[in-house]
Amino acid sequence: INIKQDEELVFSEIEKDKIINHIKDSDMDIISLGILLYFKTGMRPGELVAIKQSDINERVIHICRTEICYKNENKKNVYEVRDFPKTEAGIRDIILPTSSKWIIKKIKMINPFGEYLFELNGKRIRTYSFTSRLKSICKKLDISPKSLNKIRKTYATTLIDSGVEESFLVLTNTIFSVILISTNKTKAG
């Protein structure tokens, strides 16, 4: 059994702040802005890269599709967007905090005409581009590298630690362990 330590499951507040400040202090390109959006929304990685410009209305992001990856008959990875999310509960609206509206504005300035919010040179950016960038940022900041899904777990933990009722959160089983970690830390402290 591979039991991971709490610090492997989520980004600490210090790590999160370091990453966010690093991105804000750098030349914010569309991929770095996407990582900021992950931290501000807690959406699944595949959902972020499948957002269309038409899914956004002011501060509301409508989630209704996801990127999938599979191997074709030649054993090559194929990345596609399917028109439904990972789970039925995944169809939802995410309200972006007012203080984070600038992220969407900046992304739209970089990619004003693309069908998808995250496009570069007319092609949809795949999840692996964000994964690679996050790993390089972590390495540069001397932070133990974590996956994009750990941003989602960090987001859920932050909500719970801030007093949001678990019943209000639509969470996958992969985040359930974070609820237990967070609740235990809160009760212990």
Side-chain angles (χ1 to χ4, degrees), residues 3-188:
I3 299 174
K4 295 192 176 200
Q5 298 299 312
D6 293 357
E7 59 270 5
E8 295 177 70
L9 296 174
V10 296
F11 287 96
S12 71
E13 279 298 312
I14 292 168
E15 290 172 334
K16 181 176 94 172
D17 290 345
K18 275 175 131 178
I19 293 168
I20 290 171
N21 289 332
H22 172 78
I23 291 171
K24 286 181 176 179
D25 292 343
S26 67
D27 180 27
M28 286 187 277
D29 66 5
I30 197 163
I31 295 174
S32 293
L33 289 164
I35 292 172
L36 283 182
L37 201 55
Y38 278 125
F39 276 111
K40 299 298 180 182
T41 63
M43 68 180 79
R44 291 180 182 97
E47 294 170 342
L48 183 88
V49 298
I51 296 170
K52 291 186 176 183
Q53 300 263 11
S54 59
D55 295 332
I56 300 170
N57 183 4
E58 291 290 313
R59 291 179 34 223
V60 179
I61 303 171
H62 182 65
I63 304 298
C64 57
R65 64 187 72 76
T66 193
E67 177 187 78
I68 61 167
C69 176
Y70 62 89
K71 296 219 184 273
N72 66 14
E73 61 277 354
N74 298 326
K75 307 280 190 236
K76 300 274 187 198
N77 284 343
V78 176
Y79 296 87
E80 290 180 353
V81 171
R82 65 177 182 193
D83 289 327
F84 51 92
K86 185 175 178 180
T87 66
E88 196 173 307
I91 299 174
R92 66 199 184 284
D93 288 338
I94 294 177
I95 300 172
L96 192 63
T98 305
S99 61
S100 299
K101 268 177 63 172
W102 68 270
I103 299 170
I104 295 288
K105 279 185 178 173
K106 194 151 176 100
I107 293 167
K108 286 185 171 194
M109 285 172 53
I110 295 169
N111 177 31
F113 305 113
E115 177 184 7
Y116 291 94
L117 186 63
F118 292 96
E119 286 186 15
L120 207 50
N121 303 321
K123 295 188 178 216
R124 187 180 60 79
I125 301 171
R126 312 297 195 261
T127 304
Y128 59 78
S129 297
F130 295 92
T131 301
S132 176
R133 177 65 55 85
L134 180 61
K135 283 183 182 176
S136 73
I137 290 171
C138 287
K139 186 176 181 179
K140 188 178 283 187
L141 299 176
D142 200 29
I143 294 172
S144 174
K146 296 173 184 70
S147 70
L148 294 171
N149 281 313
K150 300 310 184 238
I151 294 176
R152 183 169 164 77
K153 290 182 178 191
T154 301
Y155 181 80
T157 301
T158 302
L159 289 177
I160 293 164
D161 287 348
S162 298
V164 173
E165 290 292 324
E166 292 171 31
S167 59
F168 288 120
L169 301 176
V170 178
L171 301 169
T172 65
N173 288 335
T174 58
I175 293 181
F176 185 73
S177 60
V178 174
I179 294 170
L180 297 176
I181 292 166
S182 176
T183 304
N184 290 338
K185 282 185 178 178
T186 305
K187 287 178 183 172

